[in-house]
Short mmCIF file of all heavy atoms in Angstrom, two decimals:
data_model
loop_
_atom_site.label_atom_id
_atom_site.label_comp_id
_atom_site.label_asym_id
_atom_site.label_seq_id
_atom_site.Cartn_x
_atom_site.Cartn_y
_atom_site.Cartn_z
N MET A 529 -2.46 -12.51 2.51
CA MET A 529 -1.85 -11.30 3.06
C MET A 529 -1.80 -10.26 2.05
O MET A 529 -1.50 -10.47 0.86
CB MET A 529 -0.50 -11.62 3.57
CG MET A 529 0.17 -10.41 4.13
SD MET A 529 1.71 -10.82 4.92
CE MET A 529 2.26 -9.24 5.35
N ILE A 530 -2.19 -9.05 2.47
CA ILE A 530 -2.24 -7.95 1.49
C ILE A 530 -0.78 -7.30 1.46
O ILE A 530 -0.11 -7.22 2.49
CB ILE A 530 -3.20 -6.87 1.96
CG1 ILE A 530 -4.62 -7.38 2.02
CG2 ILE A 530 -3.09 -5.57 1.11
CD1 ILE A 530 -5.67 -6.44 2.52
N LYS A 531 -0.39 -7.02 0.23
CA LYS A 531 0.94 -6.39 0.01
C LYS A 531 0.81 -5.36 -1.06
O LYS A 531 0.00 -5.48 -1.97
CB LYS A 531 1.92 -7.43 -0.40
CG LYS A 531 3.28 -6.96 -0.66
CD LYS A 531 4.24 -8.10 -1.11
CE LYS A 531 5.55 -7.62 -1.47
NZ LYS A 531 6.41 -8.65 -1.94
N PHE A 532 1.54 -4.20 -0.94
CA PHE A 532 1.53 -3.17 -1.91
C PHE A 532 2.89 -3.14 -2.64
O PHE A 532 3.95 -3.25 -1.99
CB PHE A 532 1.27 -1.83 -1.26
CG PHE A 532 -0.17 -1.69 -0.72
CD1 PHE A 532 -0.41 -2.10 0.52
CD2 PHE A 532 -1.11 -1.16 -1.55
CE1 PHE A 532 -1.75 -1.95 1.09
CE2 PHE A 532 -2.41 -1.03 -1.04
CZ PHE A 532 -2.72 -1.46 0.23
N THR A 533 2.87 -2.94 -3.98
CA THR A 533 4.09 -2.78 -4.77
C THR A 533 3.93 -1.63 -5.68
O THR A 533 2.81 -1.09 -5.95
CB THR A 533 4.38 -4.13 -5.54
OG1 THR A 533 3.31 -4.32 -6.46
CG2 THR A 533 4.55 -5.27 -4.70
N VAL A 534 5.07 -1.22 -6.28
CA VAL A 534 5.08 -0.18 -7.34
C VAL A 534 5.43 -0.87 -8.66
O VAL A 534 6.44 -1.58 -8.77
CB VAL A 534 6.16 0.91 -6.98
CG1 VAL A 534 6.25 1.89 -8.09
CG2 VAL A 534 5.83 1.60 -5.71
N ASP A 535 4.54 -0.64 -9.69
CA ASP A 535 4.77 -1.21 -11.00
C ASP A 535 4.67 -0.18 -12.07
O ASP A 535 3.89 0.78 -11.91
CB ASP A 535 3.75 -2.32 -11.27
CG ASP A 535 3.83 -3.55 -10.35
OD1 ASP A 535 4.99 -3.85 -9.94
OD2 ASP A 535 2.83 -4.10 -10.01
N TYR A 536 5.51 -0.29 -13.08
CA TYR A 536 5.47 0.69 -14.16
C TYR A 536 4.53 0.17 -15.22
O TYR A 536 4.59 -0.99 -15.70
CB TYR A 536 6.84 0.89 -14.82
CG TYR A 536 6.86 1.97 -15.83
CD1 TYR A 536 6.74 3.32 -15.49
CD2 TYR A 536 7.01 1.67 -17.15
CE1 TYR A 536 6.72 4.30 -16.39
CE2 TYR A 536 6.98 2.67 -18.15
CZ TYR A 536 6.88 4.00 -17.72
OH TYR A 536 6.81 4.96 -18.69
N ASN A 537 3.60 0.98 -15.67
CA ASN A 537 2.60 0.70 -16.70
C ASN A 537 3.11 1.17 -18.09
O ASN A 537 3.06 2.40 -18.21
CB ASN A 537 1.28 1.30 -16.31
CG ASN A 537 0.13 0.83 -17.28
OD1 ASN A 537 0.36 0.63 -18.45
ND2 ASN A 537 -1.09 0.79 -16.77
N ASP A 538 3.63 0.19 -18.92
CA ASP A 538 4.23 0.61 -20.14
C ASP A 538 3.22 1.30 -21.10
O ASP A 538 3.52 2.16 -21.83
CB ASP A 538 4.83 -0.57 -20.81
CG ASP A 538 6.01 -1.11 -20.13
OD1 ASP A 538 6.72 -0.29 -19.42
OD2 ASP A 538 6.33 -2.29 -20.22
N GLU A 539 2.01 0.81 -21.08
CA GLU A 539 0.95 1.34 -22.04
C GLU A 539 0.61 2.77 -21.69
O GLU A 539 0.35 3.53 -22.62
CB GLU A 539 -0.30 0.39 -22.03
CG GLU A 539 0.05 -0.97 -22.51
CD GLU A 539 -1.19 -1.91 -22.42
OE1 GLU A 539 -2.28 -1.42 -22.06
OE2 GLU A 539 -1.01 -3.05 -22.72
N MET A 540 0.37 3.09 -20.41
CA MET A 540 -0.09 4.41 -19.96
C MET A 540 1.12 5.30 -19.59
O MET A 540 0.85 6.48 -19.27
CB MET A 540 -0.96 4.21 -18.82
CG MET A 540 -2.21 3.38 -19.13
SD MET A 540 -3.24 4.01 -20.49
CE MET A 540 -3.95 5.41 -19.68
N LEU A 541 2.33 4.78 -19.59
CA LEU A 541 3.53 5.56 -19.21
C LEU A 541 3.39 6.19 -17.83
O LEU A 541 3.61 7.41 -17.71
CB LEU A 541 3.85 6.59 -20.32
CG LEU A 541 4.09 6.00 -21.67
CD1 LEU A 541 4.27 7.15 -22.68
CD2 LEU A 541 5.24 5.09 -21.70
N ARG A 542 3.05 5.42 -16.87
CA ARG A 542 2.87 5.96 -15.46
C ARG A 542 3.24 4.82 -14.49
O ARG A 542 3.49 3.68 -14.83
CB ARG A 542 1.44 6.31 -15.22
CG ARG A 542 0.48 5.15 -15.24
CD ARG A 542 -0.86 5.53 -14.91
NE ARG A 542 -1.67 4.25 -14.81
CZ ARG A 542 -2.88 4.11 -15.28
NH1 ARG A 542 -3.49 5.04 -15.95
NH2 ARG A 542 -3.48 2.94 -15.20
N TRP A 543 3.44 5.24 -13.20
CA TRP A 543 3.77 4.36 -12.10
C TRP A 543 2.44 4.09 -11.36
O TRP A 543 1.77 5.04 -10.95
CB TRP A 543 4.85 4.99 -11.21
CG TRP A 543 6.13 5.13 -11.84
CD1 TRP A 543 6.60 6.19 -12.53
CD2 TRP A 543 7.17 4.17 -11.95
NE1 TRP A 543 7.81 5.98 -13.09
CE2 TRP A 543 8.27 4.69 -12.71
CE3 TRP A 543 7.26 2.85 -11.51
CZ2 TRP A 543 9.36 4.04 -12.96
CZ3 TRP A 543 8.47 2.14 -11.73
CH2 TRP A 543 9.47 2.71 -12.48
N ASP A 544 2.15 2.77 -11.14
CA ASP A 544 1.00 2.37 -10.40
C ASP A 544 1.40 1.77 -9.06
O ASP A 544 2.32 1.00 -8.94
CB ASP A 544 0.23 1.36 -11.22
CG ASP A 544 -0.40 1.81 -12.44
OD1 ASP A 544 -0.51 3.08 -12.58
OD2 ASP A 544 -0.76 1.05 -13.35
N VAL A 545 0.65 2.13 -8.06
CA VAL A 545 0.70 1.37 -6.74
C VAL A 545 -0.35 0.36 -6.77
O VAL A 545 -1.61 0.55 -6.96
CB VAL A 545 0.41 2.31 -5.54
CG1 VAL A 545 0.47 1.66 -4.23
CG2 VAL A 545 1.45 3.53 -5.64
N VAL A 546 0.08 -0.92 -6.64
CA VAL A 546 -0.81 -2.11 -6.75
C VAL A 546 -0.93 -2.80 -5.41
O VAL A 546 0.05 -3.07 -4.75
CB VAL A 546 -0.23 -3.07 -7.81
CG1 VAL A 546 -1.15 -4.26 -8.00
CG2 VAL A 546 -0.02 -2.26 -9.18
N ARG A 547 -2.16 -3.09 -5.01
CA ARG A 547 -2.44 -3.90 -3.83
C ARG A 547 -2.71 -5.35 -4.28
O ARG A 547 -3.47 -5.62 -5.18
CB ARG A 547 -3.75 -3.36 -3.16
CG ARG A 547 -4.14 -4.19 -1.98
CD ARG A 547 -5.44 -3.77 -1.33
NE ARG A 547 -6.49 -4.15 -2.23
CZ ARG A 547 -7.53 -3.32 -2.45
NH1 ARG A 547 -7.69 -2.21 -1.81
NH2 ARG A 547 -8.55 -3.74 -3.25
N TRP A 548 -1.93 -6.24 -3.65
CA TRP A 548 -1.96 -7.66 -3.99
C TRP A 548 -2.70 -8.38 -2.92
O TRP A 548 -2.36 -8.30 -1.74
CB TRP A 548 -0.61 -8.24 -4.16
CG TRP A 548 0.09 -7.63 -5.37
CD1 TRP A 548 1.01 -6.61 -5.37
CD2 TRP A 548 -0.10 -8.04 -6.74
NE1 TRP A 548 1.38 -6.34 -6.70
CE2 TRP A 548 0.76 -7.23 -7.47
CE3 TRP A 548 -0.78 -9.03 -7.39
CZ2 TRP A 548 0.89 -7.39 -8.88
CZ3 TRP A 548 -0.72 -9.15 -8.73
CH2 TRP A 548 0.13 -8.31 -9.47
N ASP A 549 -3.74 -9.14 -3.29
CA ASP A 549 -4.48 -10.02 -2.41
C ASP A 549 -4.44 -11.48 -2.93
O ASP A 549 -4.10 -11.70 -4.12
CB ASP A 549 -5.97 -9.59 -2.37
CG ASP A 549 -6.28 -8.32 -1.67
OD1 ASP A 549 -5.58 -8.08 -0.61
OD2 ASP A 549 -6.97 -7.49 -2.17
N VAL A 550 -4.73 -12.38 -2.07
CA VAL A 550 -4.82 -13.81 -2.46
C VAL A 550 -6.32 -14.12 -2.45
O VAL A 550 -7.00 -13.97 -1.50
CB VAL A 550 -4.09 -14.71 -1.51
CG1 VAL A 550 -4.23 -16.15 -1.92
CG2 VAL A 550 -2.60 -14.31 -1.49
N SER A 551 -6.79 -14.60 -3.62
CA SER A 551 -8.20 -15.02 -3.75
C SER A 551 -8.48 -16.27 -3.00
O SER A 551 -7.62 -16.99 -2.54
CB SER A 551 -8.56 -15.09 -5.25
OG SER A 551 -7.92 -16.23 -5.75
N ALA A 552 -9.75 -16.61 -2.98
CA ALA A 552 -10.17 -17.95 -2.28
C ALA A 552 -9.57 -19.10 -2.99
O ALA A 552 -9.32 -20.16 -2.33
CB ALA A 552 -11.72 -18.02 -2.26
N GLU A 553 -9.32 -19.00 -4.29
CA GLU A 553 -8.69 -20.10 -4.97
C GLU A 553 -7.17 -20.18 -4.89
O GLU A 553 -6.51 -21.07 -5.34
CB GLU A 553 -9.08 -19.98 -6.46
CG GLU A 553 -10.50 -20.15 -6.80
CD GLU A 553 -11.28 -18.86 -6.59
OE1 GLU A 553 -10.65 -17.82 -6.66
OE2 GLU A 553 -12.48 -18.94 -6.37
N GLY A 554 -6.62 -19.13 -4.20
CA GLY A 554 -5.16 -19.15 -3.97
C GLY A 554 -4.31 -18.34 -4.99
O GLY A 554 -3.13 -18.21 -4.96
N ALA A 555 -5.06 -17.76 -5.98
CA ALA A 555 -4.43 -16.95 -7.04
C ALA A 555 -4.20 -15.55 -6.50
O ALA A 555 -4.94 -14.99 -5.70
CB ALA A 555 -5.28 -16.85 -8.21
N ARG A 556 -3.08 -14.91 -6.93
CA ARG A 556 -2.73 -13.51 -6.53
C ARG A 556 -3.49 -12.58 -7.48
O ARG A 556 -3.38 -12.73 -8.68
CB ARG A 556 -1.22 -13.34 -6.52
CG ARG A 556 -0.53 -14.06 -5.45
CD ARG A 556 0.99 -13.86 -5.52
NE ARG A 556 1.48 -12.50 -5.90
CZ ARG A 556 2.00 -11.63 -4.96
NH1 ARG A 556 2.09 -12.07 -3.73
NH2 ARG A 556 2.39 -10.46 -5.24
N VAL A 557 -4.14 -11.59 -6.85
CA VAL A 557 -4.99 -10.71 -7.68
C VAL A 557 -4.51 -9.31 -7.42
O VAL A 557 -4.35 -8.87 -6.14
CB VAL A 557 -6.47 -10.79 -7.26
CG1 VAL A 557 -7.31 -9.80 -8.08
CG2 VAL A 557 -6.96 -12.16 -7.52
N GLY A 558 -4.08 -8.51 -8.38
CA GLY A 558 -3.69 -7.18 -8.23
C GLY A 558 -4.66 -6.14 -8.61
O GLY A 558 -5.33 -6.27 -9.63
N THR A 559 -4.71 -5.08 -7.74
CA THR A 559 -5.71 -3.99 -8.00
C THR A 559 -4.88 -2.69 -7.91
O THR A 559 -4.18 -2.43 -6.86
CB THR A 559 -6.78 -3.98 -6.94
OG1 THR A 559 -7.43 -5.25 -6.92
CG2 THR A 559 -7.79 -2.92 -7.23
N THR A 560 -5.00 -1.80 -8.90
CA THR A 560 -4.33 -0.52 -8.86
C THR A 560 -5.06 0.35 -7.97
O THR A 560 -6.29 0.54 -8.07
CB THR A 560 -4.32 0.05 -10.32
OG1 THR A 560 -3.55 -0.76 -11.16
CG2 THR A 560 -3.65 1.41 -10.29
N VAL A 561 -4.36 0.91 -6.95
CA VAL A 561 -4.97 1.76 -5.93
C VAL A 561 -4.58 3.23 -6.14
O VAL A 561 -5.26 4.17 -5.61
CB VAL A 561 -4.69 1.32 -4.54
CG1 VAL A 561 -5.35 -0.01 -4.22
CG2 VAL A 561 -3.21 1.30 -4.21
N ASP A 562 -3.54 3.50 -6.88
CA ASP A 562 -3.04 4.87 -7.07
C ASP A 562 -2.22 4.92 -8.37
O ASP A 562 -1.54 3.95 -8.66
CB ASP A 562 -2.27 5.44 -5.92
CG ASP A 562 -2.45 6.91 -5.81
OD1 ASP A 562 -2.73 7.56 -6.75
OD2 ASP A 562 -2.25 7.45 -4.68
N ARG A 563 -2.24 6.03 -9.04
CA ARG A 563 -1.48 6.27 -10.25
C ARG A 563 -0.59 7.54 -10.09
O ARG A 563 -1.13 8.52 -9.52
CB ARG A 563 -2.36 6.41 -11.44
CG ARG A 563 -3.25 5.22 -11.69
CD ARG A 563 -4.42 5.56 -12.70
NE ARG A 563 -5.21 4.40 -12.98
CZ ARG A 563 -6.25 4.09 -12.28
NH1 ARG A 563 -6.61 4.80 -11.22
NH2 ARG A 563 -6.94 3.04 -12.59
N CYS A 564 0.72 7.40 -10.43
CA CYS A 564 1.59 8.54 -10.23
C CYS A 564 2.43 8.78 -11.48
O CYS A 564 2.61 7.84 -12.27
CB CYS A 564 2.54 8.21 -9.07
SG CYS A 564 1.69 7.86 -7.50
N SER A 565 2.91 10.01 -11.61
CA SER A 565 3.71 10.31 -12.76
C SER A 565 5.20 10.04 -12.51
O SER A 565 5.94 9.90 -13.52
CB SER A 565 3.53 11.79 -13.15
OG SER A 565 3.86 12.67 -12.06
N THR A 566 5.61 9.99 -11.24
CA THR A 566 7.02 9.67 -10.96
C THR A 566 7.12 8.47 -10.04
O THR A 566 6.23 8.15 -9.25
CB THR A 566 7.74 10.85 -10.27
OG1 THR A 566 7.09 11.11 -9.03
CG2 THR A 566 7.59 12.12 -11.10
N GLU A 567 8.25 7.78 -10.13
CA GLU A 567 8.51 6.59 -9.32
C GLU A 567 8.63 6.99 -7.87
O GLU A 567 8.13 6.25 -6.93
CB GLU A 567 9.78 5.96 -9.72
CG GLU A 567 10.06 4.62 -9.05
CD GLU A 567 11.34 3.92 -9.50
OE1 GLU A 567 12.14 4.57 -10.19
OE2 GLU A 567 11.54 2.84 -9.10
N ALA A 568 9.22 8.17 -7.55
CA ALA A 568 9.33 8.58 -6.17
C ALA A 568 8.00 8.73 -5.45
O ALA A 568 7.84 8.34 -4.30
CB ALA A 568 10.16 9.89 -6.12
N GLN A 569 7.08 9.40 -6.18
CA GLN A 569 5.73 9.48 -5.55
C GLN A 569 5.07 8.21 -5.32
O GLN A 569 4.47 7.98 -4.32
CB GLN A 569 4.88 10.35 -6.55
CG GLN A 569 5.20 11.81 -6.71
CD GLN A 569 4.30 12.41 -7.76
OE1 GLN A 569 3.84 11.76 -8.75
NE2 GLN A 569 4.03 13.72 -7.66
N ALA A 570 5.20 7.30 -6.29
CA ALA A 570 4.60 5.96 -6.12
C ALA A 570 5.17 5.17 -4.95
O ALA A 570 4.50 4.46 -4.23
CB ALA A 570 4.75 5.16 -7.42
N LYS A 571 6.53 5.25 -4.77
CA LYS A 571 7.20 4.58 -3.71
C LYS A 571 6.78 5.14 -2.40
O LYS A 571 6.54 4.38 -1.39
CB LYS A 571 8.69 4.69 -3.87
CG LYS A 571 9.25 3.72 -4.89
CD LYS A 571 10.79 3.85 -4.94
CE LYS A 571 11.33 2.87 -5.99
NZ LYS A 571 12.78 2.79 -5.99
N GLU A 572 6.59 6.54 -2.32
CA GLU A 572 6.14 7.04 -1.03
C GLU A 572 4.74 6.61 -0.66
O GLU A 572 4.50 6.28 0.48
CB GLU A 572 6.15 8.65 -1.22
CG GLU A 572 5.81 9.38 0.08
CD GLU A 572 5.90 10.84 -0.08
OE1 GLU A 572 6.51 11.36 -1.12
OE2 GLU A 572 5.36 11.59 0.75
N ILE A 573 3.84 6.56 -1.56
CA ILE A 573 2.53 6.07 -1.35
C ILE A 573 2.52 4.58 -1.01
O ILE A 573 1.82 4.15 -0.05
CB ILE A 573 1.59 6.37 -2.57
CG1 ILE A 573 1.45 7.90 -2.76
CG2 ILE A 573 0.19 5.69 -2.44
CD1 ILE A 573 0.78 8.27 -4.00
N CYS A 574 3.33 3.85 -1.69
CA CYS A 574 3.46 2.37 -1.41
C CYS A 574 3.98 2.12 0.05
O CYS A 574 3.43 1.34 0.76
CB CYS A 574 4.34 1.73 -2.47
SG CYS A 574 4.57 -0.01 -2.23
N ASP A 575 4.96 2.89 0.41
CA ASP A 575 5.55 2.71 1.69
C ASP A 575 4.55 3.11 2.77
O ASP A 575 4.41 2.43 3.86
CB ASP A 575 6.80 3.68 1.92
CG ASP A 575 7.97 3.15 1.11
OD1 ASP A 575 8.01 1.99 0.70
OD2 ASP A 575 8.87 3.92 0.84
N TYR A 576 3.70 4.13 2.51
CA TYR A 576 2.68 4.53 3.48
C TYR A 576 1.71 3.40 3.68
O TYR A 576 1.36 3.06 4.76
CB TYR A 576 1.89 5.77 2.92
CG TYR A 576 0.74 6.13 3.74
CD1 TYR A 576 0.76 6.75 4.97
CD2 TYR A 576 -0.55 5.73 3.29
CE1 TYR A 576 -0.36 7.01 5.64
CE2 TYR A 576 -1.67 6.06 3.98
CZ TYR A 576 -1.59 6.63 5.15
OH TYR A 576 -2.77 6.93 5.89
N HIS A 577 1.15 2.80 2.59
CA HIS A 577 0.20 1.72 2.65
C HIS A 577 0.79 0.52 3.37
O HIS A 577 0.13 -0.13 4.21
CB HIS A 577 -0.27 1.31 1.28
CG HIS A 577 -1.23 2.27 0.60
ND1 HIS A 577 -2.43 2.59 1.18
CD2 HIS A 577 -1.20 2.99 -0.48
CE1 HIS A 577 -3.03 3.48 0.46
NE2 HIS A 577 -2.32 3.68 -0.63
N ASN A 578 2.02 0.17 3.08
CA ASN A 578 2.69 -0.98 3.76
C ASN A 578 2.87 -0.67 5.26
O ASN A 578 2.70 -1.62 6.07
CB ASN A 578 3.99 -1.33 3.11
CG ASN A 578 3.77 -2.04 1.81
OD1 ASN A 578 2.86 -2.89 1.66
ND2 ASN A 578 4.63 -1.79 0.85
N ASP A 579 3.23 0.54 5.64
CA ASP A 579 3.32 0.88 7.00
C ASP A 579 2.02 0.75 7.76
O ASP A 579 1.97 0.31 8.94
CB ASP A 579 3.90 2.35 7.20
CG ASP A 579 5.40 2.39 7.02
OD1 ASP A 579 6.03 1.37 6.94
OD2 ASP A 579 5.83 3.58 6.77
N MET A 580 0.96 1.13 7.12
CA MET A 580 -0.39 1.06 7.74
C MET A 580 -0.78 -0.39 8.03
O MET A 580 -1.52 -0.69 9.01
CB MET A 580 -1.46 1.69 6.91
CG MET A 580 -1.32 3.18 6.75
SD MET A 580 -1.37 4.04 8.35
CE MET A 580 0.28 4.54 8.55
N LEU A 581 -0.19 -1.36 7.31
CA LEU A 581 -0.53 -2.79 7.54
C LEU A 581 0.44 -3.43 8.50
O LEU A 581 0.20 -4.58 8.86
CB LEU A 581 -0.47 -3.54 6.19
CG LEU A 581 -1.56 -3.11 5.19
CD1 LEU A 581 -1.27 -3.77 3.83
CD2 LEU A 581 -2.95 -3.41 5.68
N ASN A 582 1.48 -2.77 8.93
CA ASN A 582 2.59 -3.34 9.72
C ASN A 582 2.15 -3.28 11.20
O ASN A 582 2.09 -2.16 11.77
CB ASN A 582 3.83 -2.58 9.51
CG ASN A 582 5.00 -3.17 10.29
OD1 ASN A 582 4.91 -4.14 11.03
ND2 ASN A 582 6.17 -2.59 10.02
N PRO A 583 1.94 -4.37 11.84
CA PRO A 583 1.48 -4.40 13.26
C PRO A 583 2.59 -3.89 14.21
O PRO A 583 2.30 -3.24 15.24
CB PRO A 583 1.21 -5.90 13.59
CG PRO A 583 1.73 -6.64 12.53
CD PRO A 583 1.96 -5.76 11.29
N GLU A 584 3.88 -4.04 13.88
CA GLU A 584 4.92 -3.51 14.66
C GLU A 584 4.97 -1.97 14.68
O GLU A 584 5.24 -1.32 15.62
CB GLU A 584 6.31 -4.05 14.21
CG GLU A 584 6.42 -5.58 14.45
CD GLU A 584 7.77 -6.08 13.84
OE1 GLU A 584 8.60 -5.29 13.40
OE2 GLU A 584 7.89 -7.33 13.82
N PHE A 585 4.64 -1.42 13.54
CA PHE A 585 4.48 0.04 13.47
C PHE A 585 3.50 0.57 14.46
O PHE A 585 3.76 1.58 15.13
CB PHE A 585 4.10 0.39 12.02
CG PHE A 585 3.89 1.89 11.78
CD1 PHE A 585 4.92 2.70 11.50
CD2 PHE A 585 2.56 2.40 11.87
CE1 PHE A 585 4.70 4.04 11.29
CE2 PHE A 585 2.42 3.83 11.56
CZ PHE A 585 3.44 4.62 11.39
N TRP A 586 2.35 -0.12 14.56
CA TRP A 586 1.34 0.38 15.46
C TRP A 586 1.60 0.06 16.90
O TRP A 586 1.19 0.77 17.82
CB TRP A 586 0.02 -0.09 15.05
CG TRP A 586 -0.41 0.48 13.75
CD1 TRP A 586 -0.48 -0.10 12.49
CD2 TRP A 586 -0.84 1.81 13.55
NE1 TRP A 586 -0.79 0.86 11.49
CE2 TRP A 586 -1.10 2.07 12.20
CE3 TRP A 586 -1.03 2.96 14.45
CZ2 TRP A 586 -1.50 3.30 11.67
CZ3 TRP A 586 -1.44 4.19 13.87
CH2 TRP A 586 -1.63 4.29 12.54
N SER A 587 2.24 -1.10 17.16
CA SER A 587 2.54 -1.44 18.53
C SER A 587 3.49 -0.43 19.23
O SER A 587 3.48 -0.26 20.37
CB SER A 587 3.13 -2.88 18.59
OG SER A 587 4.38 -2.89 18.04
N GLU A 588 4.43 0.12 18.44
CA GLU A 588 5.40 1.06 18.91
C GLU A 588 4.66 2.47 19.29
O GLU A 588 5.09 3.09 20.19
CB GLU A 588 6.50 1.41 17.90
CG GLU A 588 7.37 0.16 17.67
CD GLU A 588 8.39 0.47 16.47
OE1 GLU A 588 8.30 1.55 15.93
OE2 GLU A 588 9.12 -0.42 16.24
N ARG A 589 3.64 2.76 18.59
CA ARG A 589 2.97 4.05 18.79
C ARG A 589 1.75 3.96 19.66
O ARG A 589 1.31 4.94 20.19
CB ARG A 589 2.59 4.62 17.43
CG ARG A 589 3.73 5.16 16.67
CD ARG A 589 3.54 5.16 15.19
NE ARG A 589 4.67 5.65 14.46
CZ ARG A 589 5.78 5.02 14.28
NH1 ARG A 589 5.91 3.81 14.75
NH2 ARG A 589 6.79 5.48 13.59
N GLY A 590 1.18 2.77 19.80
CA GLY A 590 -0.03 2.60 20.55
C GLY A 590 -1.23 3.10 19.80
O GLY A 590 -1.19 3.72 18.76
N CYS A 591 -2.36 2.75 20.26
CA CYS A 591 -3.66 3.06 19.60
C CYS A 591 -4.62 3.59 20.67
O CYS A 591 -4.92 2.96 21.62
CB CYS A 591 -4.29 1.87 18.93
SG CYS A 591 -5.66 2.16 18.04
N VAL A 592 -5.20 4.75 20.43
CA VAL A 592 -6.10 5.36 21.44
C VAL A 592 -7.57 4.88 21.22
O VAL A 592 -8.39 5.14 22.01
CB VAL A 592 -6.08 6.91 21.43
CG1 VAL A 592 -4.68 7.40 21.67
CG2 VAL A 592 -6.44 7.39 20.06
N PHE A 593 -7.81 4.20 20.17
CA PHE A 593 -9.20 3.82 19.80
C PHE A 593 -9.74 2.83 20.88
O PHE A 593 -10.91 2.79 21.11
CB PHE A 593 -9.35 3.29 18.37
CG PHE A 593 -8.90 4.30 17.39
CD1 PHE A 593 -7.85 4.16 16.62
CD2 PHE A 593 -9.63 5.49 17.23
CE1 PHE A 593 -7.49 5.09 15.62
CE2 PHE A 593 -9.33 6.46 16.31
CZ PHE A 593 -8.25 6.24 15.54
N GLY A 594 -8.91 2.04 21.47
CA GLY A 594 -9.37 1.01 22.41
C GLY A 594 -9.48 1.50 23.79
O GLY A 594 -9.97 0.83 24.73
N ARG A 595 -9.05 2.74 24.06
CA ARG A 595 -9.01 3.30 25.41
C ARG A 595 -10.30 4.14 25.64
O ARG A 595 -10.80 4.74 24.70
CB ARG A 595 -7.79 4.16 25.67
CG ARG A 595 -6.47 3.40 25.54
CD ARG A 595 -5.32 4.28 25.75
NE ARG A 595 -4.12 3.61 25.30
CZ ARG A 595 -3.11 4.26 24.87
NH1 ARG A 595 -3.16 5.57 24.74
NH2 ARG A 595 -2.04 3.60 24.43
N GLU A 596 -10.67 4.25 26.87
CA GLU A 596 -11.78 5.18 27.26
C GLU A 596 -11.29 6.61 27.27
O GLU A 596 -10.15 6.87 27.65
CB GLU A 596 -12.34 4.86 28.57
CG GLU A 596 -13.07 3.50 28.58
CD GLU A 596 -13.79 3.25 29.86
OE1 GLU A 596 -14.01 4.18 30.64
OE2 GLU A 596 -13.97 2.05 30.13
N ILE A 597 -12.12 7.48 26.81
CA ILE A 597 -11.76 8.92 26.85
C ILE A 597 -12.32 9.46 28.06
O ILE A 597 -13.48 9.41 28.44
CB ILE A 597 -12.37 9.65 25.61
CG1 ILE A 597 -11.79 9.04 24.28
CG2 ILE A 597 -12.07 11.09 25.67
CD1 ILE A 597 -12.36 9.58 23.06
N SER A 598 -11.41 10.21 28.86
CA SER A 598 -11.85 10.78 30.18
C SER A 598 -12.46 12.12 29.92
O SER A 598 -12.04 12.92 29.19
CB SER A 598 -10.71 10.98 31.10
OG SER A 598 -10.10 9.68 31.21
#
C-alpha cells in the first residue's frame, strides 16, 4: 500500500514529502516526491496526496469519468 509522510532532511535542512511503497521482496522503499522549506507546506502536500489515495474521499464526491457525457 502506498503511503505519504513528511520527513525532515537534516543534511539539506528541508522538509521532504516521501512516498512509501512495498517492494516485491516486502521491504519498504521511500521516494522523495516533493521538497519544501516549511513543515506546513510539506504537510499540506502530504495530506493532498493521501486524500487522493483515499477511496472514501472519492466515494463521497463521485466520479464523472465512468459516466457517459450527454
Side-chain angles (χ1 to χ4, degrees):
M529 178 172 174
I530 297 173
K531 179 181 177 183
F532 291 88
T533 61
V534 174
D535 295 325
Y536 186 70
N537 186 328
D538 292 335
E539 294 176 6
M540 301 301 287
L541 302 175
R542 68 174 185 226
W543 294 92
D544 293 341
V545 178
V546 181
R547 180 184 67 218
W548 294 96
D549 290 316
V550 177
S551 69
E553 294 83 23
R556 289 175 45 103
V557 179
T559 305
T560 299
V561 294
D562 209 338
R563 297 167 179 90
C564 302
S565 58
T566 65
E567 183 180 14
Q569 289 174 333
K571 283 184 178 182
E572 184 177 344
I573 294 168
C574 182
D575 290 343
Y576 169 80
H577 285 300
N578 283 323
D579 283 345
M580 293 299 109
L581 296 174
N582 184 356
E584 292 175 9
F585 176 82
W586 290 106
S587 67
E588 293 172 0
R589 284 154 183 77
C591 182
V592 297
F593 299 114
R595 299 182 196 147
E596 290 184 26
I597 298 174
S598 304

